[in-house]
C-alpha cells in the first residue's frame, strides 16, 4: 500500500541518518511499556514532540505511532532500560536478514496502528519467540525524557524508602511491654522479650530484603553490561566475517581474472604457433617447389645438351 511504501521510505531515510536502532531482546520480558500516541501538525505549529520521527508526506501530518513510555531497570535484563529512552518510536519487528545494514525490507513495519492494532501488536510481542529483534527510531529530546524518567524513579524509590523507614521508626517506638501487671511481672518481661525479638526479626528481614534487592539490581546491571559486551562481540564477529567474505570474493574475482587472462594468452600463443607452423609449411612447400623446378630445369638442360651432342655427331657424319 501507499502508506507502507511511505513508511519503508521513511525507515530507510532514518537509517541512513543513523537514527534507527536495532535491539535484540533475549528474555521473555522486554522491560518496556509502550503507549499509542498521535502525531499531528497544524498550521506550521508542532502539536507534539514527535516531529523528528514523522514521515515526510501529507499523510504524516496526522498519524498514530507507538512510542516508548517507560523502561524498567529490573525487567528483561535491563536491555530496554540501557538502550532506549521515552519518546523512541517502535518502527517494526525483524522478520528476516542478519546483515549489518538496517533495511526496511527486513522488518514488519508498524504503519499508523489503530487501538485494535496496538493491542494485537502487544500480544504479538509477548508471544514472539526469543531472541526478538525490534527497530526503534530515536525520539526527540530523548535524553531529557530519560533524565525525567530516572528522576521520577528516584523520587518514587525515595518515597518508598521513606515509608519503610517510617514504618520501622513507628515499630521501634511502640511500647514493647503490654499493660503493666503488678501481679505477673515475669509474664510482662517475657511478653516484652517476645516483642523485642519479633521486632528484631522484622528488622533483619527488612534488611535482608533490601540486601537482596541491591544484589538483584547489581546482578541485572552486570547482566545488561555482559549482554552489551556480547552484542558488541557478536557485531564485531559479524563484521570480521563480512570482511573475510569480502576478501574471499575479491580473491576469487582476481583468480578468475587471472584465469581469463591466462586463457586469452594461451589462445593467443596457440594462434601464433599455428600461424608460425603454417608459415613454415608454406616456406617448406615453396622450397620444395623451387627444388623441383631446378631439377626439371636441369633435366631439360641435359636433354638439350644430349640433343646438341647428337646433332653435332650427325653433322660430322654428314660432312664426312
Amino acid at each position: 500500500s501507499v502508506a507502507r511504501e511511505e513508511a519503508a521510505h521513511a525507515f530507510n531515510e532514518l537509517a541512513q541518518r543513523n537514527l534507527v536502532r536495532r535491539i535484540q531482546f533475549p528474555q521473555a520480558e522486554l522491560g518496556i511499556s509502550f503507549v499509542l500516541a498521535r502525531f499531528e501538525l497544524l498550521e506550521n505549529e508542532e502539536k507534539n514532540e514527535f516531529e523528528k520521527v514523522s514521515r515526510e508526506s501529507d499523510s504524516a501530518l496526522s498519524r498514530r505511532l507507538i512510542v516508548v513510555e517507560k523502561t524498567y531497570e529490573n525487567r528483561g535484563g535491563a536491555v530496554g532500560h540501557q538502550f532506549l529512552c521515552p519518546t523512541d518510536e517502535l518502527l517494526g519487528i525483524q522478520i528476516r536478514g542478519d546483515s549489518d545494514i538496517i533495511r526496511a525490507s527486513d522488518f514488519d513495519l508498524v504503519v499508523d496502528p489503530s487501538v485494535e492494532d496496538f493491542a494485537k501488536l502487544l500480544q504479538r510481542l509477548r508471544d514472539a519467540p526469543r531472541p526478538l529483534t525490534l527497530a526503534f527510531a530515536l525520539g526527540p529530546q530523548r535524553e531529557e525524557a530519560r533524565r525525567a524518567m530516572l528522576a521520577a524513579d528516584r523520587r518514587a524509590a525515595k518515597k518508598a524508602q521513606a515509608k519503610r523507614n517510617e514504618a520501622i521508626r513507628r515499630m521501634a517506638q511502640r511500647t514493647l511491654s503490654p499493660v503493666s501487671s503488678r501481679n505477673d511481672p515475669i509474664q510482662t518481661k517475657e511478653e516484652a522479650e517476645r516483642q523485642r525479638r519479633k521486632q528484631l526479626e522484622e528488622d533483619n528481614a527488612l534488611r535482608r530484603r533490601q540486601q537482596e534487592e541491591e544484589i538483584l539490581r547489581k546482578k541485572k546491571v552486570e547482566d545488561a553490561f555482559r549482554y552489551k559486551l556480547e552484542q558488541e562481540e557478536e557485531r564485531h564477529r559479524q563484521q570480521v566475517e563480512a570482511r573475510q567474505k569480502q576478501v574471499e570474493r575479491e580473491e576469487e574475482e582476481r583468480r578468475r581474472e587471472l584465469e581469463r587472462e591466462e586463457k586469452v594468452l594461451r589462445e593467443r600463443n596457440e594462434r601464433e604457433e599455428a600461424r608460425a607452423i603454417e608459415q613454415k609449411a608454406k616456406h617448406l612447400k615453396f622450397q620444395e617447389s623451387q627444388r623441383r623446378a631446378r631439377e626439371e630445369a636441369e633435366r631439360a638442360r641435359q636433354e638439350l645438351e644430349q640433343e646438341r651432342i647428337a646433332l653435332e655427331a650427325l653433322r660430322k657424319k654428314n660432312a664426312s
Side-chain angles (χ1 to χ4, degrees), residues 120-189:
K120 292 179 181 178
L121 180 64
L122 294 180
Q123 186 64 39
R124 179 180 177 184
L125 294 177
R126 284 190 292 267
D127 298 340
R130 300 301 191 263
L132 175 65
T133 302
L134 304 177
F136 293 86
L138 302 186
Q141 293 87 38
R142 61 193 307 270
E143 295 301 330
E144 291 83 350
R146 180 180 181 82
R147 285 194 291 270
M149 179 189 70
L150 294 177
D153 290 343
R154 285 193 296 269
R155 288 193 298 270
K158 188 178 295 185
K159 287 182 179 179
Q161 184 63 37
K163 289 183 178 180
R164 288 194 293 267
N165 294 337
E166 180 65 19
I168 293 173
R169 186 183 64 81
R170 289 180 179 179
M171 292 177 68
Q173 289 178 352
R174 288 177 182 174
T175 304
L176 298 179
S177 60
V179 178
S180 62
S181 175
R182 296 177 181 178
N183 298 328
D184 194 1
I186 297 176
Q187 184 178 1
T188 302
K189 290 180 180 180

Coordinates of all heavy atoms in Angstrom, one line a residue, residues 120-189:
K120 N -3.1 -6.0 19.4 CA -2.6 -7.2 18.7 C -1.1 -7.2 18.7 O -0.5 -8.2 18.9 CB -3.2 -7.2 17.3 CG -4.7 -7.5 17.2 CD -5.2 -7.5 15.8 CE -6.7 -7.8 15.7 NZ -7.1 -7.8 14.3
L121 N -0.5 -6.0 18.5 CA 0.9 -5.9 18.5 C 1.5 -6.2 19.8 O 2.6 -7.0 19.9 CB 1.4 -4.5 18.0 CG 2.9 -4.3 18.0 CD1 3.5 -5.1 16.9 CD2 3.2 -2.8 17.7
L122 N 0.9 -5.7 20.9 CA 1.4 -6.1 22.2 C 1.4 -7.6 22.5 O 2.3 -8.2 23.0 CB 0.6 -5.3 23.3 CG 0.8 -3.8 23.3 CD1 -0.1 -3.2 24.4 CD2 2.2 -3.4 23.5
Q123 N 0.3 -8.2 22.0 CA 0.1 -9.6 22.2 C 1.2 -10.4 21.3 O 1.8 -11.4 21.8 CB -1.3 -10.1 21.7 CG -1.6 -11.6 22.0 CD -1.5 -11.9 23.5 OE1 -2.0 -11.2 24.3 NE2 -1.0 -13.1 23.8
R124 N 1.4 -9.8 20.2 CA 2.5 -10.5 19.3 C 3.9 -10.4 19.9 O 4.6 -11.3 19.9 CB 2.5 -9.8 17.9 CG 3.5 -10.3 17.0 CD 3.5 -9.6 15.6 NE 4.5 -10.1 14.7 CZ 4.7 -9.6 13.5 NH1 4.0 -8.6 13.1 NH2 5.7 -10.1 12.8
L125 N 4.1 -9.2 20.5 CA 5.4 -9.0 21.2 C 5.6 -10.0 22.4 O 6.7 -10.5 22.7 CB 5.6 -7.6 21.7 CG 5.7 -6.5 20.6 CD1 5.8 -5.1 21.3 CD2 6.9 -6.8 19.7
R126 N 4.5 -10.3 23.1 CA 4.5 -11.2 24.2 C 4.7 -12.6 23.7 O 5.4 -13.4 24.4 CB 3.2 -11.1 25.1 CG 3.2 -9.9 25.9 CD 2.0 -10.0 26.9 NE 0.7 -9.9 26.3 CZ 0.1 -8.7 26.1 NH1 0.6 -7.6 26.5 NH2 -1.1 -8.8 25.5
D127 N 4.1 -13.0 22.6 CA 4.1 -14.4 22.2 C 5.3 -14.7 21.2 O 5.5 -15.9 20.9 CB 2.8 -14.7 21.4 CG 1.6 -14.6 22.4 OD1 1.8 -14.6 23.6 OD2 0.5 -14.4 21.9
A128 N 6.0 -13.7 20.7 CA 7.0 -13.9 19.7 C 8.2 -14.7 20.3 O 8.5 -14.5 21.5 CB 7.5 -12.6 19.1
P129 N 8.8 -15.6 19.5 CA 9.9 -16.4 20.1 C 11.1 -15.4 20.3 O 11.3 -14.4 19.7 CB 10.3 -17.4 19.0 CG 9.7 -16.8 17.7 CD 8.5 -16.0 18.2
R130 N 11.9 -15.8 21.3 CA 13.1 -15.1 21.7 C 14.4 -15.8 21.1 O 14.4 -17.0 21.0 CB 13.2 -14.9 23.2 CG 12.0 -14.2 23.8 CD 11.8 -12.8 23.3 NE 10.9 -12.0 24.0 CZ 9.6 -11.9 23.7 NH1 9.1 -12.5 22.7 NH2 8.8 -11.1 24.5
P131 N 15.4 -15.0 20.8 CA 15.5 -13.6 20.9 C 14.6 -12.8 19.9 O 14.5 -13.3 18.8 CB 17.0 -13.3 20.6 CG 17.5 -14.5 19.8 CD 16.7 -15.6 20.3
L132 N 14.1 -11.7 20.3 CA 13.3 -10.9 19.5 C 14.0 -9.6 19.1 O 14.6 -8.9 20.0 CB 12.0 -10.5 20.2 CG 11.0 -9.6 19.5 CD1 10.4 -10.2 18.3 CD2 9.9 -9.2 20.5
T133 N 14.1 -9.2 17.8 CA 14.8 -8.0 17.4 C 13.8 -7.0 16.9 O 12.9 -7.3 16.0 CB 15.7 -8.4 16.2 OG1 16.6 -9.4 16.6 CG2 16.5 -7.2 15.8
L134 N 13.9 -5.8 17.5 CA 13.0 -4.7 17.1 C 13.8 -3.5 16.6 O 15.0 -3.4 17.0 CB 12.2 -4.3 18.4 CG 11.3 -5.4 19.1 CD1 10.6 -4.8 20.3 CD2 10.3 -6.0 18.1
A135 N 13.1 -2.7 15.8 CA 13.8 -1.5 15.3 C 13.1 -0.2 15.9 O 11.8 -0.2 16.0 CB 13.7 -1.4 13.8
F136 N 13.8 0.7 16.4 CA 13.3 1.9 17.0 C 13.9 3.1 16.4 O 15.1 3.1 16.0 CB 13.6 2.0 18.5 CG 12.9 0.9 19.4 CD1 13.5 -0.4 19.5 CD2 11.7 1.2 20.0 CE1 12.9 -1.3 20.2 CE2 11.1 0.2 20.7 CZ 11.7 -1.1 20.9
A137 N 13.1 4.2 16.2 CA 13.6 5.5 15.8 C 13.9 6.3 17.0 O 13.1 6.4 18.0 CB 12.6 6.2 14.9
L138 N 15.0 7.0 17.1 CA 15.4 7.8 18.2 C 14.4 9.0 18.3 O 14.2 9.7 17.4 CB 16.8 8.3 18.1 CG 17.9 7.2 17.9 CD1 19.3 7.8 18.0 CD2 17.7 6.1 19.0
G139 N 13.8 9.1 19.5 CA 12.8 10.2 19.7 C 13.5 11.5 19.9 O 14.6 11.6 20.3
P140 N 12.7 12.6 19.8 CA 13.2 13.9 20.1 C 13.3 14.2 21.6 O 12.6 13.6 22.4 CB 12.1 14.8 19.5 CG 10.9 14.0 19.6 CD 11.3 12.6 19.4
Q141 N 14.3 14.9 22.0 CA 14.6 15.2 23.4 C 14.6 13.9 24.2 O 14.1 13.9 25.4 CB 13.5 16.2 24.0 CG 13.6 17.6 23.4 CD 12.8 17.7 22.1 OE1 11.7 17.2 22.0 NE2 13.3 18.5 21.1
R142 N 15.1 12.9 23.7 CA 15.1 11.6 24.3 C 16.0 11.6 25.6 O 15.6 11.0 26.6 CB 15.6 10.5 23.4 CG 17.0 10.6 22.9 CD 17.3 9.7 21.7 NE 16.9 8.3 22.0 CZ 17.8 7.4 22.5 NH1 19.0 7.8 22.8 NH2 17.5 6.2 22.7
E143 N 17.1 12.3 25.6 CA 17.9 12.3 26.8 C 17.2 13.1 27.9 O 17.3 12.7 29.1 CB 19.3 13.0 26.5 CG 20.1 12.2 25.5 CD 20.4 10.8 26.0 OE1 20.5 10.6 27.2 OE2 20.6 9.8 25.2
E144 N 16.5 14.2 27.6 CA 15.8 14.9 28.6 C 14.6 14.1 29.1 O 14.4 14.0 30.3 CB 15.2 16.2 28.0 CG 16.3 17.3 27.7 CD 16.9 17.0 26.3 OE1 16.7 16.0 25.7 OE2 17.7 17.9 25.9
A145 N 14.0 13.3 28.2 CA 12.9 12.4 28.7 C 13.5 11.3 29.6 O 12.8 10.9 30.6 CB 12.2 11.8 27.5
R146 N 14.6 10.8 29.2 CA 15.2 9.8 30.1 C 15.6 10.3 31.5 O 15.4 9.7 32.5 CB 16.5 9.2 29.4 CG 17.2 8.1 30.2 CD 18.4 7.6 29.4 NE 19.1 6.5 30.2 CZ 18.7 5.3 30.2 NH1 17.7 4.9 29.4 NH2 19.4 4.4 30.9
R147 N 16.2 11.5 31.5 CA 16.5 12.1 32.8 C 15.3 12.4 33.6 O 15.3 12.1 34.8 CB 17.3 13.4 32.6 CG 18.7 13.2 32.1 CD 19.5 14.5 32.2 NE 19.1 15.5 31.3 CZ 19.6 15.6 30.0 NH1 20.6 14.8 29.7 NH2 19.2 16.5 29.2
A148 N 14.2 12.8 33.0 CA 12.9 13.0 33.7 C 12.4 11.7 34.2 O 11.9 11.6 35.4 CB 11.9 13.7 32.8
M149 N 12.5 10.6 33.4 CA 12.0 9.3 33.9 C 12.9 8.8 35.1 O 12.3 8.3 36.1 CB 12.1 8.3 32.8 CG 11.7 6.9 33.1 SD 12.1 5.7 31.8 CE 13.9 5.6 31.9
L150 N 14.2 8.9 35.0 CA 15.1 8.5 36.1 C 14.8 9.3 37.3 O 14.8 8.8 38.5 CB 16.5 8.6 35.7 CG 16.9 7.7 34.5 CD1 18.4 7.9 34.2 CD2 16.7 6.2 34.9
A151 N 14.6 10.6 37.2 CA 14.3 11.5 38.3 C 13.0 11.0 39.0 O 12.9 11.0 40.2 CB 14.2 12.9 37.9
A152 N 12.0 10.7 38.2 CA 10.7 10.2 38.7 C 10.9 8.9 39.5 O 10.3 8.7 40.5 CB 9.7 10.1 37.6
D153 N 11.7 8.0 38.9 CA 12.0 6.7 39.5 C 12.7 7.0 40.9 O 12.4 6.3 41.9 CB 12.9 5.9 38.6 CG 12.1 5.4 37.4 OD1 10.9 5.4 37.4 OD2 12.8 4.9 36.5
R154 N 13.7 7.9 40.9 CA 14.4 8.2 42.2 C 13.4 8.7 43.2 O 13.5 8.4 44.4 CB 15.5 9.1 41.9 CG 16.7 8.5 41.2 CD 17.9 9.4 41.3 NE 17.7 10.6 40.6 CZ 18.0 10.8 39.3 NH1 18.6 9.8 38.6 NH2 17.8 12.0 38.7
R155 N 12.5 9.6 42.8 CA 11.5 10.2 43.7 C 10.6 9.1 44.3 O 10.3 9.0 45.5 CB 10.7 11.3 43.0 CG 11.5 12.5 42.8 CD 10.5 13.7 42.4 NE 9.8 13.4 41.2 CZ 10.2 13.8 40.0 NH1 11.4 14.4 39.9 NH2 9.5 13.5 38.9
A156 N 10.2 8.2 43.4 CA 9.3 7.1 43.8 C 10.1 6.1 44.8 O 9.5 5.7 45.8 CB 8.8 6.3 42.6
A157 N 11.3 5.8 44.4 CA 12.1 5.0 45.3 C 12.4 5.7 46.7 O 12.3 5.0 47.7 CB 13.5 4.6 44.7
K158 N 12.6 7.0 46.6 CA 12.8 7.7 47.9 C 11.5 7.7 48.7 O 11.6 7.5 50.0 CB 13.2 9.1 47.6 CG 13.7 9.9 48.8 CD 14.1 11.3 48.4 CE 15.4 11.3 47.5 NZ 15.9 12.6 47.2
K159 N 10.4 7.9 48.1 CA 9.1 7.8 48.8 C 8.9 6.4 49.5 O 8.5 6.3 50.6 CB 8.0 8.2 47.9 CG 7.9 9.7 47.6 CD 6.7 9.9 46.7 CE 6.6 11.4 46.4 NZ 5.4 11.7 45.5
A160 N 9.2 5.4 48.7 CA 9.0 4.0 49.2 C 10.0 3.8 50.4 O 9.6 3.2 51.4 CB 9.2 3.0 48.1
Q161 N 11.2 4.2 50.2 CA 12.2 4.1 51.3 C 11.7 4.8 52.5 O 11.9 4.4 53.7 CB 13.6 4.5 50.8 CG 14.7 4.3 51.8 CD 14.8 2.8 52.2 OE1 14.7 2.0 51.3 NE2 15.1 2.5 53.4
A162 N 11.2 6.1 52.3 CA 10.8 6.9 53.4 C 9.6 6.2 54.2 O 9.5 6.2 55.4 CB 10.3 8.2 52.9
K163 N 8.7 5.6 53.4 CA 7.6 4.8 54.0 C 8.1 3.6 54.8 O 7.6 3.4 55.9 CB 6.6 4.3 52.9 CG 5.8 5.5 52.3 CD 4.8 4.9 51.3 CE 3.9 6.0 50.7 NZ 3.0 5.4 49.7
R164 N 9.1 2.9 54.3 CA 9.7 1.8 55.0 C 10.3 2.3 56.3 O 10.2 1.7 57.3 CB 10.6 1.0 54.1 CG 10.0 0.2 53.0 CD 10.9 -0.8 52.4 NE 12.0 -0.1 51.7 CZ 11.9 0.2 50.4 NH1 10.9 -0.2 49.7 NH2 12.9 0.8 49.8
N165 N 11.1 3.4 56.2 CA 11.8 3.9 57.3 C 10.8 4.4 58.4 O 11.0 4.2 59.6 CB 12.7 5.1 56.9 CG 13.9 4.6 56.1 OD1 14.2 3.4 56.1 ND2 14.4 5.5 55.3
E166 N 9.7 5.0 57.9 CA 8.7 5.5 58.9 C 8.0 4.3 59.6 O 7.8 4.3 60.8 CB 7.6 6.3 58.1 CG 6.5 6.8 59.0 CD 7.0 7.8 60.0 OE1 8.1 8.4 59.9 OE2 6.3 8.1 61.0
A167 N 7.8 3.2 58.8 CA 7.2 2.0 59.4 C 8.2 1.4 60.5 O 7.7 1.0 61.6 CB 6.9 1.0 58.4
I168 N 9.5 1.4 60.1 CA 10.4 0.9 61.1 C 10.5 1.8 62.3 O 10.5 1.3 63.5 CB 11.8 0.8 60.4 CG1 11.8 -0.3 59.3 CG2 12.9 0.5 61.4 CD1 13.1 -0.3 58.5
R169 N 10.5 3.1 62.1 CA 10.5 4.0 63.3 C 9.3 3.8 64.2 O 9.4 3.8 65.4 CB 10.6 5.5 62.7 CG 10.8 6.5 63.8 CD 10.8 7.9 63.2 NE 9.5 8.2 62.7 CZ 8.5 8.6 63.4 NH1 8.6 8.7 64.7 NH2 7.3 8.9 62.8
R170 N 8.1 3.7 63.5 CA 6.9 3.5 64.4 C 7.0 2.2 65.1 O 6.6 2.2 66.3 CB 5.7 3.6 63.5 CG 5.4 5.0 62.9 CD 4.2 5.0 62.0 NE 3.9 6.3 61.5 CZ 2.9 6.6 60.7 NH1 2.1 5.6 60.3 NH2 2.7 7.8 60.3
M171 N 7.5 1.2 64.5 CA 7.5 -0.1 65.2 C 8.5 0.0 66.3 O 8.4 -0.6 67.4 CB 7.9 -1.2 64.2 CG 6.9 -1.5 63.2 SD 7.4 -2.7 62.0 CE 7.5 -4.2 63.0
A172 N 9.6 0.8 66.1 CA 10.6 0.9 67.2 C 10.1 1.7 68.3 O 10.5 1.5 69.5 CB 11.9 1.5 66.6
Q173 N 9.2 2.6 68.0 CA 8.6 3.5 69.1 C 7.5 2.8 69.9 O 7.0 3.4 70.8 CB 8.2 4.8 68.5 CG 9.3 5.7 68.0 CD 8.8 7.0 67.4 OE1 7.6 7.1 67.2 NE2 9.7 7.9 67.2
R174 N 7.0 1.7 69.4 CA 5.9 1.1 70.1 C 6.4 0.6 71.5 O 7.6 0.3 71.7 CB 5.5 -0.1 69.3 CG 4.7 0.2 68.0 CD 4.3 -1.1 67.3 NE 3.6 -0.7 66.0 CZ 3.3 -1.7 65.1 NH1 3.6 -2.9 65.4 NH2 2.7 -1.3 64.0
T175 N 5.5 0.6 72.3 CA 5.8 0.2 73.7 C 6.0 -1.3 73.7 O 5.0 -2.1 73.3 CB 4.7 0.5 74.7 OG1 4.5 1.9 74.6 CG2 5.0 0.1 76.1
L176 N 7.2 -1.8 74.0 CA 7.4 -3.2 73.9 C 6.7 -4.0 75.0 O 6.5 -5.2 74.9 CB 9.0 -3.5 74.0 CG 9.7 -2.8 72.8 CD1 11.2 -3.1 73.0 CD2 9.3 -3.4 71.5
S177 N 6.4 -3.3 76.1 CA 5.7 -4.0 77.2 C 4.2 -3.8 77.1 O 3.8 -2.7 76.8 CB 6.3 -3.5 78.6 OG 6.0 -2.2 78.7
P178 N 3.4 -4.8 77.4 CA 2.0 -4.6 77.4 C 1.6 -3.8 78.7 O 2.4 -3.3 79.4 CB 1.4 -6.0 77.5 CG 2.5 -6.8 78.2 CD 3.8 -6.2 77.8
V179 N 0.3 -3.7 78.9 CA -0.2 -3.0 80.1 C 0.4 -3.7 81.3 O 0.4 -4.9 81.5 CB -1.8 -3.1 80.1 CG1 -2.3 -2.4 81.4 CG2 -2.3 -2.4 78.9
S180 N 0.9 -2.8 82.1 CA 1.7 -3.4 83.3 C 0.7 -4.2 84.2 O -0.4 -3.9 84.3 CB 2.2 -2.2 84.1 OG 1.1 -1.4 84.6
S181 N 1.4 -5.2 84.6 CA 0.6 -6.1 85.5 C 1.5 -6.4 86.8 O 2.5 -7.0 86.7 CB 0.4 -7.5 84.8 OG -0.2 -8.4 85.7
R182 N 1.0 -5.8 87.9 CA 1.7 -5.9 89.1 C 1.7 -7.4 89.6 O 2.6 -7.8 90.3 CB 1.1 -5.0 90.2 CG 1.3 -3.6 89.8 CD 0.6 -2.7 90.9 NE 0.7 -1.3 90.5 CZ 0.1 -0.3 91.3 NH1 -0.5 -0.6 92.4 NH2 0.2 0.9 90.9
N183 N 0.7 -8.1 89.3 CA 0.6 -9.5 89.8 C 1.5 -10.5 89.1 O 1.8 -11.5 89.6 CB -0.9 -9.9 89.7 CG -1.8 -9.0 90.5 OD1 -1.4 -8.5 91.6 ND2 -3.1 -8.9 90.1
D184 N 1.9 -10.2 87.7 CA 2.6 -11.1 87.0 C 3.8 -10.4 86.2 O 3.7 -10.2 85.0 CB 1.7 -11.8 86.0 CG 2.4 -13.1 85.4 OD1 3.6 -13.3 85.8 OD2 1.8 -13.7 84.6
P185 N 4.8 -9.9 87.0 CA 5.9 -9.2 86.3 C 6.7 -10.1 85.4 O 7.3 -9.7 84.4 CB 6.7 -8.8 87.5 CG 6.4 -9.7 88.6 CD 5.0 -10.1 88.4
I186 N 6.8 -11.4 85.6 CA 7.6 -12.3 84.8 C 6.9 -12.4 83.4 O 7.6 -12.4 82.4 CB 7.6 -13.7 85.5 CG1 8.4 -13.6 86.8 CG2 8.3 -14.7 84.5 CD1 8.5 -14.9 87.6
Q187 N 5.6 -12.6 83.4 CA 4.9 -12.6 82.1 C 5.1 -11.3 81.3 O 5.2 -11.4 80.1 CB 3.4 -12.9 82.4 CG 2.6 -13.0 81.1 CD 1.1 -13.3 81.4 OE1 0.7 -13.4 82.5 NE2 0.3 -13.5 80.3
T188 N 5.1 -10.2 82.0 CA 5.3 -8.9 81.3 C 6.7 -8.9 80.7 O 6.9 -8.4 79.5 CB 5.2 -7.7 82.3 OG1 3.9 -7.8 82.9 CG2 5.4 -6.4 81.6
K189 N 7.7 -9.3 81.4 CA 9.1 -9.4 80.8 C 9.1 -10.3 79.7 O 9.8 -10.0 78.6 CB 10.1 -9.8 81.9 CG 10.3 -8.7 83.0 CD 11.3 -9.2 84.0 CE 11.5 -8.1 85.1 NZ 12.4 -8.6 86.1

